[in-house]
Amino acid sequence: MQVSQLQNVKDKRPVPLATRSELEQAVEVARELRQRERFNKLDYYDPYPYQQRFHDTGGEANQRLLMAANRIGKSYCGAAELAYHVTGLYPEWWNGRRYRQPIVAWAGGVSNETTRDIVQYELLGSPDDPEAFGSGAIPKKLIIKVERKPGVPNAKSVALIKHVSGGNSSLFFKAYEMGIEKWQGRSVDCVWLDEEPSRELYSQAVTRTLDRRGMVYMTFTPERGMTETVASFINKIKPGQAIVNATWDDASE
């Protein structure tokens, strides 16, 4: 065989495959990246323009409404904002309200079950999967402890969250069905209401924030039409209030 032919054969030899240890290392790196993304979801939040506009309204308004179509990310928008407030981990693009110290926050939904399945899910991760704890908007490493809600399987009543200032924020999960009396009493810095509350409950939530100059914001689809709450933001909007509307088109920008 001629030299040139020998060279061709040599050049066509298969390239050695990666060693087993190299493959294992690559798999481990990929697994670590997935875990990091799963339990630090807030770092990867890239808001749609309508979500950005809503966050921005917090810079001036203390009563806010995100009125949006179903399934376009309004609940996670609300959860991400609350996660920023209880942790103090505001991104560079943030133009909304900033809490420099630990806060007391309430997050609520219509029933104990929907609060668990939507609000708690978006903030802490899937309630029925222990391995998913910490996969919500609040980074797992900052969740110090949680307390269960009696009588509601897998539901939490309060979570203690580490704030970047060095202290701890308290996040309470509440439900409209608990009654107005359960929304009275203490002062609160921030309230997130996912789904439309009654006018009476909304007024009570606002009252809880007044002495701390706090903030109440709602995220919901107006299923009941022009209610008193909706009308107060559309027809009679006052200084200190803000509304952002969003449709399916806004979630495709």
Side-chain angles (χ1 to χ4, degrees):
M1 185 178 292
Q2 296 181 356
V3 175
S4 59
Q5 292 175 314
L6 287 172
Q7 186 63 44
N8 288 337
V9 171
K10 182 178 179 180
D11 291 343
K12 293 179 181 178
R13 288 182 301 178
V15 177
L17 298 175
T19 65
R20 181 176 178 82
S21 61
E22 290 173 333
L23 289 173
E24 291 175 341
Q25 184 177 15
V27 170
E28 182 62 30
V29 169
R31 183 183 298 114
E32 175 63 27
L33 290 174
R34 287 195 300 271
Q35 289 292 95
R36 186 176 302 177
E37 182 174 354
R38 186 183 188 194
F39 296 112
N40 293 276
K41 193 174 179 180
L42 198 62
D43 289 345
Y44 300 88
Y45 178 48
D46 182 18
Y48 290 116
Y50 86 85
Q51 294 171 321
Q52 173 82 66
R53 291 194 300 272
F54 179 70
H55 296 314
D56 291 349
T57 63
E60 300 292 336
N62 55 17
Q63 295 184 46
R64 303 154 56 214
L65 169 59
L66 172 57
M67 194 162 63
N70 282 314
R71 313 301 298 174
I72 66 169
K74 64 180 183 299
S75 292
Y76 188 71
C77 177
E81 170 146 341
L82 195 56
Y84 289 134
H85 294 326
V86 296
T87 65
L89 291 173
Y90 298 103
E92 292 184 1
W93 52 261
W94 187 262
N95 295 315
R97 175 77 175 268
R98 290 175 182 257
Y99 290 94
R100 306 292 183 178
Q101 302 296 328
I103 68 171
V104 175
W106 287 352
V110 175
S111 67
N112 285 312
E113 288 73 18
T114 57
T115 299
R116 175 196 63 197
D117 296 343
I118 301 174
V119 177
Q120 181 183 316
Y121 173 91
E122 297 289 12
L123 287 165
L124 302 180
S126 179
D128 57 354
D129 181 3
E131 293 185 1
F133 178 73
S135 62
I138 300 174
K140 183 177 182 178
K141 63 184 178 182
L142 299 181
I143 304 173
I144 298 173
K145 69 174 183 178
V146 294
E147 295 181 7
R148 62 180 295 273
K149 178 170 289 188
V152 187
N154 303 319
K156 309 303 180 186
S157 62
V158 60
L160 196 64
I161 310 298
K162 187 171 185 60
H163 192 276
V164 293
S165 67
N168 299 321
S169 294
S170 296
L171 169 59
F172 293 85
F173 295 95
K174 305 176 80 67
Y176 308 164
E177 69 176 7
M178 295 166 62
I180 295 296
E181 65 277 3
K182 298 298 184 180
W183 292 75
Q184 297 174 343
R186 71 180 303 167
S187 298
V188 185
D189 296 286
C190 184
V191 180
W192 168 35
L193 303 173
D194 188 58
E195 299 306 335
E196 184 178 358
S198 68
R199 185 62 184 174
E200 185 181 11
L201 191 147
Y202 177 70
S203 296
Q204 188 59 231
V206 171
T207 300
R208 295 303 102 218
T209 65
L210 291 179
D211 63 339
R212 295 194 181 204
R213 297 183 179 180
M215 176 172 59
V216 178
Y217 65 93
M218 299 180 286
T219 54
F220 65 75
T221 302
E223 304 282 5
R224 293 182 287 162
M226 188 62 73
T227 62
E228 187 178 356
T229 300
V230 172
S232 69
F233 278 86
I234 294 180
N235 299 331
K236 306 174 184 177
I237 196 162
K238 301 174 183 177
Q241 292 183 318
I243 181 172
V244 172
N245 292 288
T247 66
W248 275 96
D249 290 339
D250 293 298
S252 60
E253 293 181 5

